[in-house]
Amino acid sequence: MSIINILSPHVADLIAAGEVVERPASVVKELCENALDAGAKNVTVEIRGGGTALVRVRDDGCGMSPEDAGVAFLRHATSKLRDERDLEAIATMGFRGEALAAISAVSKVRLTTKQRGAESGTLVTLEAGEITDMQPFGCPDGTTMEVRELFYNTPARQKFLKSDRAETAACQAAALRCALAHPEVSFRFIRDGEEQFFSPGDGRQDSCLYALLGRALAADMLSCVGEREGAAVSGYVSSPSAGRGSRAMQFFFCNGRAIRSQLLQAALEQAYKNTLLTGRFPACVLYLTLPYGSVDVNVHPAKTEVKFTDERKVFDTVYYAVLSALAGEERAKAPSAELPDSIRPREGFYQSMSAEDFRAKNAAAPARSSGASKPPSGSWRPTGLRAPDPSWQERLDLKSRNVSSFEPKSPAAQGPTVPAGSRIVEKAVQNVEKPRLPDHKILGEAMKTYILVERGEDLILIDKHAAHERMIFDRLKAQDRAVMAQSLLVPVTLRPDAADAELLERNAALLSSLGFEIEPYGEADFVVRALPADIDAADVSGAIEEICEKLRRGGAPKAEEARDEILHTVACKAAIKAGWDNAPEELERLVEAVLSGAVKYCPHGRPVSAVLTKKELDKLFRRIV
Ligand code: ADP
Ligand code: MG
C-alpha cells in the first residue's frame, strides 16, 4: 500500500537544491546574479578549494533590510516577482526565489548586508538551511554572501564533484560569463587568494572583452552589429583565420543573461561556412537584445536555456550580422575602441597587443575579405594585426624568422644565399641611422659556433648562441609583462607527471603572463594553446619540461626570480644555435650588439665573447717574447 507523504520543506529544499545547485559553479552564478539584480556596480567573487571550501560574493548593491535578510533563505522568497503576470516579462536574473534556499540547505552560510542609508546592517548565519544566528551588524553598504562547506551534509553529492581543478575552472568560467554579460559592472575574481581577472565596469563591450579574454583573443576579433525587427545584436566575432579548436570561446548573452543556444551557435557557424577550416570553431562574444516578452527564460532551473518566440528572426539577426562583420562592411560602424589606459588585460593571459594597438585596430582596421582563411604556414599563426610601428620594431631589435618569410629587397642585394632551414636575423630598423662602431670586420665563423671578428689589434670570438640568447632575454625582460605570444594552430597536448602538473597549475598565472597558454585537459593532460612568439612549436614540450625542472629546483622562488628563470628558457629555445647556418646580416647584428657592449654575458652568466690580442697571438707564434 502506498502512502502519500508530503515532503518536509527541508527535503523539498534538498531536492530543489539538486536542480539549482549542481556544483560550486552554480553557487557562483546564483550569487553573482543576485548581486546584479541588486544593482551592484562592483562585484568581487572569491573562491577557495574549488568553491567547496568557500564561495564569497561581495556586492555594493541595494542590500537587504533586517526583515528581508531573515526571509531571503525561505523557498520561494523573492522580491522580484509578484504574480504570474510578471512571469511574462522577466527583467531580472533571478525570479524563482529558490537559489538562496537551495544553497543554504546544503552548506554553511554567512550573510552580512546593509541597505544604503540604513544605520546598521544585519548578520545572518545558517547551517543546513536553519538560521543559527541573526543580529545587527556593522558592515558596508551592500551584501556579502559567504557559502562554506558546500554539500557537507549531502555526502552523495560530494562524490559527484570533479577535481578541485575542474571545479575551480567551472567557478571561474561562471563568474567570467556574468562579467562578460555585464560590461557596466566591474567584476573581480579571486581564486585561493590570487586575483584571476578584473573587468573595468565602464560599460564598454570592447574593454570588457579585452580585460576578460585577453589581448590575444581581442586582437583577432571583428566588431559585429546588426538589427532586425526589434531584435538587435552587437559584440565581437573572431576573424576566419583565428578559428579555435573548440566552442569554449563562444559566448552568447540575451538581455544580460549568459545563455546556451543551439540556434545562435548554428547562426554563428553558418556565417563562417567555407571560410573556416573544418574542425575549427569561431569565437564570439555576442549580446542579443530582445523585447522581454519574446524570450522565455523559464525553461530550466539554471535559466541558461531560453526559448525564442520568433526563432527565425533571431537566427537571421545573428547570421546576417556575423556575415557582414566578416565581409568587413560593418567596420566603419563599429564602436570606436578608445580604451582608457587604466584597463588591464586579464592578468595571466598572454599579451600580444597593447591597449593602443587594440584601439587602433578597432578604430581603423581595413576591411577583411570574407573568404580570407589563409592557409596556415607550419603550425604557427601570428596573433592579431600588429602593424609594426617603429617603436615596436626598435624594441624587437632582433627577431628570428623562418627564412622562407624573408624577402630581400632586390635580387642583387641578396648576397650569399641562405640555406633553407637556417634562420636569419631581420634588420629591424633599416632606415634608422645607427651609431657607427669602431671599424670591425667579420672574418667568418668557426665550427658554425664562434664568430670571428677582427677589430683593431684584437681578434674577437663570439659565441653566437650565447650572444643571441642574451639579446632575446634582455628584450623579453624589457617588455615587462608584454611578451608576445603566438597561438598554436594545432594545440599541443602534454602529459606531465603529477608533480609537474601541480607546478604548471600553481604557476599558471606566471606562465600565461609570459605567453604560455597552458590549460588542464581531462584528468591528466594539459593542452598548450599558445607560446611566446620566440619559441618554435617543435620545442614546446622540451621548453615546458625545462621550466618545470627549474621551478622545482628553485623550491618556491619569488615571482620575479621564477619569471627570469622562465625567460632564460624562452631565450635559450628561441636563440640561434651552434651548428646552424646563419646569414651574414644575422651575424652582423650579433657582432654589433656584442661590440657595443650591450651584450656581455649570456643569461646563465657565461661570457659571450673572448678576445685574443695581437700581442697574445704574436707571443703564441714567438714573434715576440
Ligand atoms: P531570486 O533571485 O530568484 O529572487 P534568491 O533565492 O536568489 O531568489 O534570492 C532571494 C531574495 O533575496 C531576492 O529576491 C532578493 O530580494 C534577496 N537577495 C538575494 N541576494 C541579494 C543581494 N546580493 N542583494 C540584495 N538582495 C538580495
Ligand atoms: Mg537569485
Side-chain angles (χ1 to χ4, degrees):
M1 196 173 75
S2 66
I3 297 171
I4 293 179
N5 262 322
I6 303 291
L7 295 175
S8 75
H10 179 61
V11 175
D13 282 349
L14 282 180
I15 294 170
E19 282 175 36
V20 182
V21 192
E22 287 175 343
R23 56 195 299 198
S26 340
V27 176
V28 170
K29 171 180 174 290
E30 293 295 340
L31 297 186
C32 284
E33 291 188 352
N34 281 349
L36 290 165
D37 283 344
K41 294 307 294 167
N42 296 282
V43 179
T44 302
V45 183
E46 203 182 331
I47 67 158
R48 287 190 184 272
T52 40
L54 170 73
V55 173
R56 180 191 291 134
V57 175
R58 219 204 96 57
D59 69 58
D60 58 355
C62 64
M64 285 178 254
S65 66
E67 299 76 45
D68 282 352
V71 296
F73 296 91
L74 295 176
R75 206 154 168 225
H76 305 309
T78 178
S79 55
K80 302 164 194 171
L81 201 67
R82 278 151 307 156
D83 54 36
E84 74 273 13
R85 270 169 309 170
D86 287 352
L87 260 184
E88 302 278 300
I90 292 164
T92 50
M93 308 287 283
F95 55 84
R96 296 164 190 265
E98 262 173 357
L100 291 187
I103 292 166
S104 62
V106 291
S107 65
K108 298 178 181 173
V109 173
R110 181 179 190 271
L111 157 71
T112 58
T113 185
K114 179 171 166 298
Q115 283 185 307
R116 258 168 246 155
E119 251 175 40
S120 153
T122 309
L123 163 78
V124 183
T125 57
L126 299 96
E127 276 183 32
E130 299 290 331
I131 294 183
T132 53
D133 187 16
M134 183 164 169
Q135 51 177 287
F137 190 76
C139 56
D141 289 352
T143 302
T144 302
M145 198 69 86
E146 273 178 22
V147 176
R148 291 181 193 271
E149 296 181 57
L150 187 66
F151 301 136
Y152 82 101
N153 56 345
T154 51
R157 299 296 307 281
Q158 279 172 26
K159 292 205 192 89
F160 285 102
L161 291 175
K162 303 210 178 94
S163 67
D164 265 16
R165 193 163 79 200
E167 296 301 339
T168 299
C171 287
Q172 183 158 340
L176 184 94
R177 279 193 295 272
C178 282
L180 263 183
H182 292 273
E184 77 285 5
V185 178
S186 170
F187 273 83
R188 188 185 299 280
F189 184 83
I190 300 166
R191 184 198 72 201
D192 297 314
E194 263 183 62
E195 182 180 301
Q196 301 298 309
F197 64 71
F198 172 78
S199 65
D202 61 2
R204 303 178 55 131
Q205 290 173 0
D206 54 3
S207 49
C208 188
L209 168 84
Y210 179 82
L212 293 171
L213 300 181
R215 292 176 176 180
L217 189 81
D220 285 329
M221 294 299 238
L222 307 169
S223 157
C224 172
V225 281
E227 197 180 345
R228 47 182 58 213
E229 303 154 45
V233 66
S234 66
Y236 290 87
V237 296
S238 57
S239 80
S241 58
R244 307 189 64 94
S246 77
R247 295 192 172 96
M249 285 293 145
Q250 293 182 359
F251 298 97
F252 295 103
F253 305 96
C254 179
N255 296 345
R257 192 188 295 282
I259 57 164
R260 266 184 260 278
S261 161
Q262 304 255 326
L263 182 85
L264 296 183
Q265 184 185 302
L268 171 79
E269 290 177 11
Q270 192 83 41
Y272 282 83
K273 223 170 163 224
N274 302 323
T275 66
L276 257 190
L277 296 172
T278 42
R280 309 295 295 170
F281 300 95
C284 76
V285 180
L286 287 176
Y287 302 89
L288 203 61
T289 312
L290 296 172
Y292 283 115
S294 67
V295 45
D296 184 3
V297 287
N298 199 8
V299 183
H300 180 264
K303 303 179 221 100
T304 50
E305 312 251 328
V306 294
K307 254 172 70 186
F308 302 110
T309 337
D310 189 343
E311 297 200 326
R312 184 79 239 170
K313 183 171 81 186
V314 171
F315 183 98
D316 285 352
T317 308
V318 171
Y319 174 72
Y320 287 108
V322 178
L323 258 197
S324 64
L326 296 181
E329 287 166 14
E330 291 301 325
R331 299 206 58 84
K333 289 190 222 154
S336 71
E338 284 154 17
L339 297 175
D341 291 331
S342 58
I343 293 175
R344 293 183 273 144
R346 179 179 150 189
E347 177 66 28
F349 238 82
Y350 46 89
Q351 304 168 3
S352 61
M353 208 183 196
S354 69
E356 234 162 59
D357 289 343
F358 185 56
R359 181 163 43 220
K361 170 185 167 266
N362 268 279
R368 302 185 189 201
S369 70
S370 58
S373 73
K374 282 187 227 98
S377 62
S379 55
W380 285 102
R381 157 179 86 66
T383 348
L385 300 170
R386 275 184 261 108
D389 58 80
S391 63
W392 177 80
Q393 286 211 334
E394 251 158 356
R395 254 191 307 130
L396 249 175
D397 184 39
L398 180 90
K399 185 172 188 318
S400 2
R401 260 203 206 163
N402 285 328
V403 74
S404 56
S405 62
F406 175 67
E407 283 156 329
K409 289 239 152 57
S410 72
Q414 210 166 336
T417 49
V418 186
S422 82
R423 292 188 173 193
I424 66 99
V425 175
E426 199 180 339
K427 278 215 168 189
V429 200
Q430 262 150 341
N431 48 359
V432 173
E433 274 277 6
K434 275 187 241 81
R436 285 296 306 157
L437 290 161
D439 270 342
H440 68 266
K441 193 163 96 193
I442 297 181
L443 304 174
E445 252 188 295
M447 299 139 227
K448 293 188 180 176
T449 304
Y450 302 109
I451 310 170
L452 304 179
V453 185
E454 183 184 346
R455 182 172 69 172
E457 302 257 280
D458 291 340
L459 174 65
I460 302 166
L461 293 108
I462 296 173
D463 180 331
K464 67 180 181 182
H465 169 72
H468 194 201
E469 194 180 351
R470 180 77 218 187
M471 288 175 76
I472 295 172
F473 179 77
D474 287 345
R475 167 167 58 80
L476 292 174
K477 212 156 151 57
Q479 273 171 345
D480 196 33
R481 310 246 149 220
V483 174
M484 261 166 290
Q486 300 213 29
S487 300
L488 292 176
L489 200 59
V490 184
V492 176
T493 313
L494 306 169
R495 176 162 295 191
D497 60 30
D500 281 2
E502 203 268 325
L503 276 170
L504 288 176
E505 251 185 273
R506 189 143 47 84
N507 292 287
L510 174 69
L511 284 164
S512 58
S513 78
L514 294 170
F516 291 93
E517 195 189 340
I518 305 173
E519 296 164 4
Y521 186 73
E523 278 308 305
D525 289 345
F526 281 72
V527 284
V528 184
R529 300 195 190 283
L531 283 176
D534 299 275
I535 296 190
D536 221 76
D539 288 332
V540 179
S541 54
I544 287 170
E545 240 171 70
E546 198 177 294
I547 287 167
C548 285
E549 163 73 22
K550 283 179 173 169
L551 291 171
R552 193 167 38 236
R553 228 185 314 129
K558 286 204 217 78
E560 203 48 40
E561 282 163 28
R563 188 179 143 78
D564 282 0
E565 283 299 323
I566 294 173
L567 291 183
H568 285 171
T569 300
V570 174
C572 181
K573 297 284 176 203
I576 55 175
K577 305 282 183 315
W580 284 9
D581 290 308
N582 293 104
E585 51 267 56
E586 272 185 297
L587 302 180
E588 180 62 49
R589 294 284 289 171
L590 289 171
V591 169
E592 280 175 16
V594 173
L595 296 188
S596 73
V599 172
K600 291 201 178 77
Y601 297 96
C602 88
H604 310 286
R606 286 194 287 111
V608 299
S609 64
V611 180
L612 276 174
T613 60
K614 176 153 190 301
K615 214 165 157 191
E616 283 166 333
L617 286 168
D618 285 347
K619 267 190 181 169
L620 196 64
F621 293 100
R622 307 261 163 88
R623 282 172 166 272
I624 56 168
V625 280

